[in-house]
Structures are given as structure tokens and as C-alpha cells.
Amino acid sequence: MKHSLLVPALALCSLQASAGDWHSEVTTAIESGKFKEAKAIMNAQPKTRENLVTIDSFQIIMNRISYDFSLTPAKGVEMVRERIPGVTDNEINSWIEKKYIETMTIDGETKWMRKSVRNLFLLNPDLIVPEAKDGSGTALLQYRTTALAMPADANHCHNWNRATITFTLTVDADAVPAGEMLKAWIPVPLTSPRQRNFRLISSSSNAIISQNSAQHTAMLEQKAVKGRPTVFTIKYSYDVAAQYFDFYEILSNLKPYDTTTAEYKTYTSTSTPHVIITDEMRAMARKIVGTETNPAIQAKMIYNWIGDTFPWAGARDYSTIPNIPQYVLEQRHGDCGQVSLLYITLCRSLGIPARWESGWMLHPHEHNYHDWCETYFEGVGWVPTDVSFGRSTNPVLRQYYQTGTDMYRMAANSDIAQAFDPKKTYIRCETIDSQAGEVEWRKGNLEMTQWDSHLEVNSMIPINY
């Protein structure tokens, strides 16, 4: 079952195309690579404010697809042969068939995904450098050892630290006319058992902290000045801990799910556009777990199956993928967020509550966007699950990140594709997640080519609770 592209209308609400309307026709045309047809349909629509915002969103999606699929086959082959002299056309065609090289046909012209050559050496088992098969070093093992040596609180949290962060978002000079107001949304930490005591220390202008969104942000406004970049900066602190649940302790405390609660129903249900519980997903989940009925063991089996089956590779723009879990199954690879959404969907298909969490990983010298999730076990509570870190070939690390996480995290999002607070009018650069920040002005969204953002960890100081 395939669902429509996420097309945000006013307030970034997901516009689900219904059969027979022009939104559905445009969506179908885009997903089929018929961009000229999609543009013709849009050009025929009345130029109402709502239509113009929706058309703008569709156009941006097509631009992003065209950018991701911008490598001509001839150039791609040339790049491959620079690294593998003598490779044959038949070998390259076989790699395309095996999904090591991702392609798309747009208006009759086939293009390679721009990351395909790099991904080829991550996905083709015959080309992977042995030392590169596992990025897990001794550092992660040391974080785990340090954390587990400390006493845990009632929520299984330990190794508390106070993190101080400076986040800077810089819009290019003259990206908008001088005097126009720019709005920037910057991710900030959510409150959870692992994160507490968020404190805004300073900001370049008045910051409005979100109150009613699962995607936590600070919104700032600033006027553009001719010839100068517009710089948005916030500095904040929060307390963050590692959290780990021993798997055998989970098994000993496990109780049958109370299926009548609103929370259980929410986190075992379909959530469009990317957590879609279909008969296919149920059958796949059941095939993975076989006759096993214990939900903790089932979740572990799904976690290990994903880790063993889907290697990491550079992703195309999330906003251009109709259904991310289905994409992972079809392309046979996925980055951190993609495999997390597959895990959530498979767990929910078995009646195991699972939900999204994401933000930044803050390991020393490894600051980067990162997505993971949480799994709920009755009698235990919500347990962190890092599906991507579960791809480690180190069994100790794989076990740790199935039911735990280190303290080098800044979690800003507890769901995907949610409206910001304050609301944003135009389609976001990242319609699913929120990590780099977002910027818009009265006439539209600013793409990431027009601005840059940077997160700096000023300090990470151990504290006692």
C-alpha cells in the first residue's frame, strides 16, 4: 500500500490527497516521474492563496527530487571506473538491479541518485573495505562502561551531565530583500526522563519556545539587512543522562499490555505518512518473529533482523519519499531515521508500542543529526532503542543500544511530520524531522542552499542528582 507524498499546506499540516482531486493527480504524476504532466495540472488550477502554497510545495518536492537524481548514467559510470578500472557495463547493470545504485526516470530520462557512487562502496559486499564494515570504535564501549558503572535512578538513568549548547543559523546575505522579516525555527531539547532543566541562556532576538508541538523549537525573527548575512543564535543548557534497561530485567518485569489505554492505542496504530500498518507489514513482522509471543523478545528479533539486513547508506531527501519503511524494504538499505521508522512500523504491526525520537548525537568530535526511537513494555515503561547503532558487529554494543542509550544526545523530537509551534506557513526543508533548523519569509521557505546552521557543544559537565 503506497501513500502520497507529504504535501504541507498552511501551517504545515499534511495534505492527504483524495482520489479524483488534482492533488492526487499531481502526486501520482510526481511519483511516476512525470514532472511535465504534474506542472501542467498545477498550471490549470485557480490561483487561490491555498492553491499557490500547495503548488509551491509540490514544485519544491520536484526540485528536491531533481537535485537528488542529478547524476547522468554516463558520469556515474565514469566515476565508478575511476575507482574500479575495467568494470564492465554488465557488472554496473547488475549493481543497479541489486539496488546498490539507485536510479529514477524523470520525464523519460534516467538519472542516478547523486550519492550512488559513494553508496556503492557501502552496499556492495564485494567492494566494502573490511575495516569500514563496522564504524563502532572503542569510544562507544568506553561510554557504555562509564555509564553502567554509575548508580541509576528510578528511571534507569545514570551518568548525568549538564550540556551547554550554542546553535547558530546563518542566512546568506541578500537571500531576501532588505527589510523583509525572516523567521527561523531552531531545535531545542524536549523534556523526558533522560533530559530535564532546559534553560535558555541567551538569543540573538526574542525566542518563542514551542509549547504544543512534538517537534521542539525556538522561533526567532529578524529583519534582513542589505549586503549582510542574517545570523540567528541561541545558547541554552539542559541536563542529560544515559539510560539502560537490562534485557533480562525487562523480561522478569514484563506484564500483559493494557490495550484499553489511549497511549497503547496511539502507539500501536497507523500514523501517516510513514508508519503505515498494512497486511504486508503484519506478515513481514510475523515472519521475522515466527512463533515467538513475548513482546520483548519479538522487539529484539525485529531489531536484530534490521541490523543484519539493511546496511547504512547516504539517504535521499526524506520529503521526497512517499513511505519510508517501504522504501527501505525496496532499496534494501537505510540511514538512521529510515530504519527507525521501519522498526516502529513492524513493532506496531505486532501490537508493540513504539515511537520516534530524534535530534543530535553529541559524542566528542562526532556531532551530527541522529534518529532513534523508544519501545514500550508494560511493567517497565518506555525504553530507548537505537536501531542504527544496532548495526554494530560488536555484540556488546548491539545489546546495549537495543534497550539503552548514552548521554551524548540532544533529543528535540518525539514524533515526525508535526506542525511547529509557532506555526510555519510553507513547506519545510525537512518535512519529517527537525534538526538543522528552518527559515522562511512572507513569500516562501528558504532552502538549505540559502543558509547554514551549526551546533557547538560549549561544555558537558558531570553533575550529581
Side-chain angles (χ1 to χ4, degrees):
M1 183 177 182
K2 199 171 186 181
H3 283 250
S4 301
L5 292 166
L6 178 67
V7 182
L10 291 174
L12 255 185
C13 293
S14 179
L15 178 62
Q16 297 300 315
S18 58
D21 68 12
W22 71 270
H23 305 125
S24 180
E25 293 174 5
V26 171
T27 296
T28 300
I30 292 175
E31 291 178 8
S32 302
K34 299 176 181 178
F35 286 11
K36 291 179 181 178
E37 179 181 318
K39 291 176 183 178
I41 296 169
M42 291 188 289
N43 288 337
Q45 304 313 311
K47 300 303 185 283
T48 64
R49 167 68 174 170
E50 182 178 357
N51 279 355
L52 288 173
V53 172
T54 304
I55 288 169
D56 179 73
S57 297
F58 275 129
Q59 184 60 60
I60 287 173
I61 291 294
M62 289 190 288
N63 292 345
R64 292 175 184 175
I65 293 173
S66 296
Y67 173 70
D68 269 340
F69 291 88
S70 56
L71 189 61
T72 66
K75 181 61 178 178
V77 169
E78 178 186 331
M79 292 169 65
V80 172
R81 285 182 172 150
E82 286 176 359
R83 299 185 63 175
I84 315 174
V87 66
T88 67
D89 289 344
N90 285 339
E91 287 175 305
I92 292 174
N93 289 334
S94 74
W95 295 339
I96 293 173
E97 185 177 345
K98 293 175 181 177
K99 310 292 187 180
Y100 301 153
I101 296 171
E102 186 176 354
T103 68
M104 185 173 183
T105 300
I106 301 173
D107 290 331
E109 186 176 1
T110 299
K111 295 286 186 71
W112 288 17
M113 206 266 275
R114 61 189 177 89
K115 300 177 183 178
S116 285
V117 176
R118 175 172 176 263
N119 284 349
L120 174 63
F121 293 86
L122 296 169
L123 300 175
N124 186 336
D126 295 330
L127 300 178
I128 297 173
V129 179
E131 295 79 22
K133 286 186 177 180
D134 187 3
S136 307
T138 56
L140 287 179
L141 285 170
Q142 184 59 53
Y143 302 148
R144 169 193 171 277
T145 301
T146 300
L148 294 181
M150 297 181 177
D153 63 18
N155 291 313
H156 294 249
C157 293
H158 39 218
N159 198 21
W160 283 95
N161 278 250
R162 180 157 295 153
T164 302
I165 305 288
T166 298
F167 196 107
T168 304
L169 191 155
T170 304
V171 180
D172 294 346
D174 304 318
V176 301
E180 290 287 353
M181 186 66 75
L182 286 162
K183 296 181 179 181
W185 285 260
I186 292 173
V188 296
L190 55 80
T191 297
S192 73
R194 298 189 300 278
Q195 293 185 172
R196 59 179 71 162
N197 295 337
F198 168 78
R199 183 170 72 94
L200 180 65
I201 298 171
S202 62
S203 57
S204 56
S205 60
N206 181 54
I208 302 174
I209 307 300
S210 59
Q211 301 296 321
N212 300 299
S213 176
Q215 300 196 290
H216 298 257
T217 60
M219 194 276 278
L220 296 83
E221 294 181 289
Q222 203 164 312
K223 284 187 177 181
V225 177
K226 184 175 179 60
R228 298 182 188 174
T230 306
V231 181
F232 299 91
T233 304
I234 65 169
K235 186 175 184 178
Y236 59 82
S237 65
Y238 68 107
D239 299 345
V240 60
Q243 188 180 37
Y244 177 71
F245 293 78
D246 180 81
F247 183 71
Y248 294 101
E249 185 178 345
I250 292 174
L251 290 177
S252 65
N253 289 296
L254 199 62
K255 297 178 181 178
Y257 285 118
D258 182 350
T259 60
T260 65
T261 68
E263 185 173 53
Y264 179 85
K265 292 176 181 178
T266 296
Y267 294 112
T268 54
S269 297
T270 281
S271 179
T272 57
H274 295 293
V275 181
I276 312 296
I277 301 173
T278 63
D279 290 342
E280 178 188 3
M281 282 293 177
R282 289 190 184 94
M284 178 166 293
R286 181 54 57 191
K287 182 178 180 180
I288 293 166
V289 303
T291 58
E292 181 58 59
T293 58
N294 185 297
I297 298 176
Q298 288 179 329
K300 185 181 185 72
M301 294 172 77
I302 292 171
Y303 173 89
N304 286 332
W305 177 77
I306 291 174
D308 291 337
T309 307
F310 302 105
W312 187 93
R316 56 184 274 199
D317 193 309
Y318 278 19
S319 68
T320 70
I321 303 173
N323 182 311
I324 287 175
Q326 191 65 39
Y327 172 87
V328 175
L329 296 177
E330 291 171 357
Q331 296 300 322
R332 304 170 194 166
H333 61 78
D335 71 356
C336 57
Q338 292 170 335
V339 294
S340 293
L341 285 167
L342 177 60
Y343 173 87
I344 290 169
T345 305
L346 289 170
C347 281
R348 289 191 187 187
S349 297
L350 293 174
I352 302 169
R355 66 187 182 190
W356 177 267
E357 195 165 89
S358 72
W360 283 70
M361 48 183 280
L362 305 177
H363 304 88
H365 313 297
E366 292 287 340
H367 304 166
N368 209 339
Y369 313 144
H370 192 48
D371 308 327
W372 58 98
C373 53
E374 294 183 309
T375 315
Y376 182 80
F377 301 113
E378 196 78 47
V380 179
W382 285 103
V383 172
T385 305
D386 193 320
V387 185
S388 193
F389 276 33
R391 288 185 274 212
S392 172
T393 57
N394 185 305
V396 174
L397 288 176
R398 175 175 279 207
Q399 177 182 338
Y400 179 79
Y401 286 103
Q402 194 239 326
T403 55
T405 186
D406 54 63
M407 58 86 176
Y408 291 104
R409 304 292 169 109
M410 191 284 280
N413 309 293
S414 56
D415 203 348
I416 63 168
Q418 298 300 300
F420 282 171
D421 176 30
K423 292 180 179 179
K424 193 174 185 299
T425 299
Y426 294 93
I427 188 173
R428 302 194 320 232
C429 292
E430 173 53 277
T431 57
I432 306 305
D433 218 349
S434 172
Q435 293 154 311
E438 296 285 345
V439 192
E440 73 176 22
W441 68 303
R442 65 184 177 89
K443 289 191 176 182
N445 182 69
L446 294 192
E447 293 291 286
M448 289 183 181
T449 54
Q450 298 171 289
W451 54 269
D452 187 31
S453 63
H454 174 71
L455 181 149
E456 179 183 358
V457 179
N458 304 121
S459 62
M460 189 80 78
I461 301 172
I463 56 175
N464 293 319
Y465 270 102

